[in-house]
């Protein structure tokens, strides 16, 4: 972690600019009935991947913003004939919400060194809220990554609240469901 | 220790290789019983027991440890006294607990020591046992109360599933193994998975690990989650290059799956997944997000998150839990893993 901190420093201005874009992605998700999380992956000062939640769209509950962005970076590497490992190990992720346990594990496997995020993810967070996948040394998969939290976190929380207030039409209705099953 | 004899009751179908289904319980249910030191004392005069219980409990109620029985009978014939009684906790804050006299333990003078012997240190279970093996271990240290969960006990004895069910489970795992082998022939990690709707017995998707292709995150479980999405008209990846990755097209079904009516993203609700190998953290959490109902895996893996390094399926702080069983065709699944180049 110390090493990562030395190698990966992002200026406040840079962070502001990228996080603004990530927040826009989250807004787009919200407008499309998806959990409002948006992210960017930045390599050499260039956006090489961006994503927002696409769970409803793809009918795949693992299509979180980070997973979408990782796929885009892989495509970018393919198009630009770059080694994914070289690119990912020099890429910073800007995301509006703390990555969940699944995404944190994926980021480790891709060896992303630094994640800048907005608000905590109390339900699923993998960078300290529920589990600490980001800094765990025990898992023998991938590399730990450094986190910088708190950029535009109030807005990120506000968007999540708006989303959950809408009462997700896709959330399972546990008891009612059972009755429907037995029909 | 659980009785071994009961496990043998489920006779294997003729010719089938022997394997056992073992439940992967939560962290609390599968851990060893932790002990903590207490001060106990012999009850020299049995007639004083009731009064001593009342007086000692009034001062040290041990209300955080309701599983502990205050008194234990000394069954050994050579024992000089019939009963022993827990007085209070000792050295909980890490300090070394030395021997104490009754007067030191009860300085208020509200306990009449008549009938009580010299205090000694005992080690007793710190938490209530949740499973029969835990209960048996706990009770070997000090008597404890136990509310047995019949289903867990049955599962631990290996008699939760009938021979017919085990037959079906074997069939689903064999599909996963075949997919793993086909994937391996294309240079992939030999890991396979099958998704089944247990309500109908239909196989919804069969897939294998594709991480050696263009995307290192396409582990077998992730592949199958996306194949199920495809079978419901969604999906994010193309598996055209992998003919062993298949799904049941939605049109084939006589009626739409219940999840289509009210929960598109939670598309694995009610489904079972069979995996040749214990999934990693990413995959285990992907299955939480996908609301899988049960996971059956063959062989454990060193960084597995369903029993080996974590118990992602049974965390109270996550919004979904699923059942996990291991050991289905374990030998065959282990042999697959041995072939891995890594």
């Amino acid at each position: 972690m110390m090493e990562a901190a030395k190698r990966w420093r992002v200026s406040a201005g840079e962070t502001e600019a990228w996080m603004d874009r990530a927040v826009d992605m989250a807004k787009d998700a919200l407008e499309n009935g998806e959990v409002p999380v948006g992210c960017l992956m930045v390599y050499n000062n260039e956006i090489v991947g961006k994503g927002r939640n696409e769970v409803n769209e793809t009918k795949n509950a693992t299509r979180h913003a980070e997973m979408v962005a990782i796929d885009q970076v892989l495509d970018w590497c393919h198009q630009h004939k770059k080694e994914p490992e070289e690119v990912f190990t020099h890429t910073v992720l800007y995301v509006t919400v703390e990555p969940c346990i699944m995404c944190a594990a994926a980021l480790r496997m891709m060896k992303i060194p630094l994640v800048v995020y907005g608000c905590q993810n109390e339900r699923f967070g993998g960078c300290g809220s529920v589990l600490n996948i980001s800094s765990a040394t025990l898992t023998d998969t991938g590399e730990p990554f450094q986190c910088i939290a708190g950029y535009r976190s109030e807005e990120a929380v506000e968007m999540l609240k708006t989303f959950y207030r809408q009462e997700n039409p896709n959330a399972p209705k546990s008891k009612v469901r059972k009755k429907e099953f037995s029909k | 220790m659980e009785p071994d004899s009961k496990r043998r009751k489920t006779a294997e179908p003729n010719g089938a290789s022997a394997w056992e289904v073992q439940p992967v319980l939560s962290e609390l249910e599968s851990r060893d019983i932790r002990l903590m030191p207490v001060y106990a004392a012999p009850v020299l005069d049995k007639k004083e027991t009731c009064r001593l219980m009342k007086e000692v409990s009034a001062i040290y109620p041990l209300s955080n440890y309701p599983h502990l029985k205050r008194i234990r009978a000394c069954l050994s014939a050579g024992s000089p006294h019939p009963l022993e009684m827990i007085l209070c906790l000792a050295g909980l804050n890490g300090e070394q607990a030395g021997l104490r006299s009754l007067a030191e333990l009860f300085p208020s003078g509200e306990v009449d020591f008549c009938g009580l012997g010299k205090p000694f240190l005992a080690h007793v279970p710190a938490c209530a046992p949740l499973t029969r093996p835990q209960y048996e271990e706990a009770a070997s240290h000090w008597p404890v109360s136990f509310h047995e969960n019949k289903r867990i006990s049955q599962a631990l004895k290996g008699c939760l599933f009938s021979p017919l069910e085990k037959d079906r489970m074997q069939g689903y795992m064999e599909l996963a193994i075949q997919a793993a082998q086909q994937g391996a022939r294309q240079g992939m990690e030999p890991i396979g998975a099958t998704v089944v709707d247990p309500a109908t017995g239909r196989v919804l998707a069969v897939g294998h690990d594709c991480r050696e292709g263009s995307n290192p995150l396409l582990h077998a479980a992730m592949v199958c989650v996306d194949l199920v999405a495809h079978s419901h008209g969604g999906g994010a990846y193309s598996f055209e290059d992998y003919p062993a990755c298949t799904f049941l097209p939605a049109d084939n079904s006589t009626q739409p799956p219940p999840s289509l009516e009210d929960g598109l993203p939670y598309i694995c609700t009610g489904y079972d997944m069979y995996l040749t190998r214990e999934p990693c953290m990413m995959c285990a959490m992907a299955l939480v997000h996908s609301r899988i109902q049960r996971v059956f895996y063959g062989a454990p893996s060193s960084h597995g998150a369903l029993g080996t390094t974590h118990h992602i399926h049974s965390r109270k702080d996550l919004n979904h839990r699923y059942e996990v069983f291991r050991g289905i065709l374990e030998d065959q699944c282990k042999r697959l893993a041995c072939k891995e180049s890594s």
Side-chain angles (χ1 to χ4, degrees), chain B residues 47-62:
Chain B
K47 282 181 221 143
E48 300 291 336
T49 312
C50 194
R51 176 190 59 79
L52 283 167
M53 276 265 280
K54 247 186 233 160
E55 290 181 14
V56 169
S57 305
I59 301 197
Y60 297 115
L62 301 182

Side-chain angles (χ1 to χ4, degrees), chain A residues 1-71:
Chain A
M1 253 178 79
M2 288 308 290
E3 228 174 82
K6 257 183 252 158
R7 278 191 298 144
W8 297 101
R9 225 174 276 140
V10 282
S11 72
E14 233 181 308
T15 300
E16 283 293 333
W18 297 129
M19 283 303 277
D20 285 352
R21 305 278 299 268
V23 170
D24 289 343
M25 301 281 301
K27 279 181 189 152
D28 180 57
L30 188 59
E31 280 158 18
N32 285 280
E34 301 275 359
V35 177
V37 182
C39 74
L40 301 178
M41 294 207 176
V42 178
Y43 170 70
N44 277 346
N45 222 32
E46 183 189 341
I47 297 175
V48 289
K50 53 184 183 176
R52 61 146 172 93
N53 260 40
E54 292 180 357
V55 166
N56 293 306
E57 213 173 296
T58 58
K59 301 171 186 178
N60 177 336
T62 71
R63 299 306 288 164
H64 288 187
E66 297 92 324
M67 305 298 272
V68 174
I70 287 172
D71 286 351

Side-chain angles (χ1 to χ4, degrees), chain B:
Chain B
M1 285 294 109
E2 61 201 281
D4 235 22
S5 55
K6 292 228 168 130
R7 281 195 192 165
R8 306 277 172 256
K9 265 190 187 167
T10 40
E12 294 301 328
N14 42 346
S17 54
W19 50 269
E20 281 179 19
V21 207
Q22 279 294 300
V24 179
L25 301 174
S26 70
E27 207 159 354
L28 288 178
E29 288 164 331
S30 37
R31 73 177 177 191
D32 290 334
I33 287 293
R34 283 183 303 116
L35 297 177
M36 63 177 184
V38 296
Y39 288 111
V43 178
L44 304 173
D45 181 356
K46 237 177 157 173
K47 282 181 221 143
E48 300 291 336
T49 312
C50 194
R51 176 190 59 79
L52 283 167
M53 276 265 280
K54 247 186 233 160
E55 290 181 14
V56 169
S57 305
I59 301 197
Y60 297 115
L62 301 182
S63 36
N64 287 332
Y65 307 91
H67 62 285
L68 283 178
K69 300 200 171 164
R70 181 74 73 159
I71 301 271
R72 81 164 163 193
C74 298
L75 295 173
S76 84
S79 179
H81 44 263
L83 300 170
E84 287 173 347
M85 175 191 276
I86 294 177
L87 303 176
C88 61
L89 303 183
L92 253 195
N93 303 324
E95 86 267 22
Q96 205 63 21
L99 280 178
R100 299 274 192 280
S101 68
L102 284 172
E104 281 174 302
L105 292 174
F106 300 97
S108 61
E110 283 165 45
V111 175
D112 175 1
F113 302 144
C114 171
L116 212 52
K118 214 172 149 209
F120 62 93
L121 270 173
H123 288 85
V124 301
C127 298
L130 300 169
T131 64
R132 184 152 280 279
Q134 282 184 342
Y135 168 67
E136 281 162 13
E137 195 202 326
S140 74
H141 297 282
W142 193 275
V144 290
S145 51
F146 174 47
H147 303 287
E148 182 165 15
N149 179 323
K150 288 264 164 59
R151 195 165 180 274
I152 290 178
S153 290
Q154 259 193 312
L156 284 169
K157 278 187 224 151
C159 39
L160 196 60
F161 300 104
S162 70
L164 186 70
E165 284 173 304
K166 286 188 76 187
D167 243 17
R168 282 202 199 112
M169 288 153 70
Q170 178 162 334
Y172 298 136
M173 190 59 92
E174 277 164 356
L175 287 176
I177 291 173
Q178 283 162 21
Q181 287 163 338
Q182 279 170 276
R185 265 178 243 134
Q186 285 185 268
M188 301 295 130
E189 297 250 1
I191 304 163
T194 307
V195 179
V196 179
D197 180 353
T200 60
R202 289 188 315 166
V203 173
L204 302 172
V206 181
H208 59 75
D209 218 272
C210 299
R211 76 180 81 167
E212 300 300 323
S214 55
N215 189 333
L217 301 182
L218 281 179
H219 295 188
M222 303 298 277
V223 167
C224 270
V225 164
D226 202 53
L227 286 169
V228 171
H230 275 283
S231 86
H232 295 309
Y237 298 99
S238 163
F239 296 101
E240 272 175 16
D241 295 339
Y242 307 107
C245 294
T246 58
F247 59 86
L248 189 71
D251 301 345
N252 274 14
S253 56
T254 46
Q255 62 182 77
S259 46
L260 273 180
E261 293 160 16
D262 56 351
L264 281 177
Y266 308 106
I267 215 82
C268 292
T269 301
Y271 296 167
D272 292 346
M273 185 179 281
Y274 290 76
L275 280 154
T276 57
R277 203 171 86 171
E278 183 186 358
C280 71
M281 178 69 74
M282 173 185 70
C283 293
M285 191 60 196
L287 295 172
V288 171
H289 289 315
S290 302
R291 309 285 207 273
I292 201 88
Q293 177 176 288
R294 295 186 297 184
V295 169
F296 299 86
Y297 66 82
S301 92
S302 61
H303 52 269
L306 297 183
T308 301
T309 65
H310 290 83
H311 295 71
I312 292 297
H313 61 295
S314 58
R315 292 184 67 99
K316 287 219 171 85
D317 51 2
L318 295 177
N319 68 342
H320 176 72
R321 281 157 290 282
Y322 51 88
E323 291 192 338
V324 176
F325 298 88
R326 50 166 285 189
I328 296 93
L329 290 184
E330 182 162 10
D331 288 346
Q332 286 94 316
C333 291
K334 268 189 183 150
R335 255 178 271 139
L336 272 180
C338 291
K339 286 183 204 148
E340 270 174 63
S341 50
S342 63

Side-chain angles (χ1 to χ4, degrees), chain A residues 67-87:
Chain A
M67 305 298 272
V68 174
I70 287 172
D71 286 351
Q72 287 198 5
V73 178
L74 285 166
D75 283 346
W76 186 92
C77 292
H78 187 69
Q79 280 161 20
H80 292 78
K81 308 259 180 298
K82 297 256 192 192
E83 269 305 310
E85 169 134 4
E86 160 59 24
V87 174

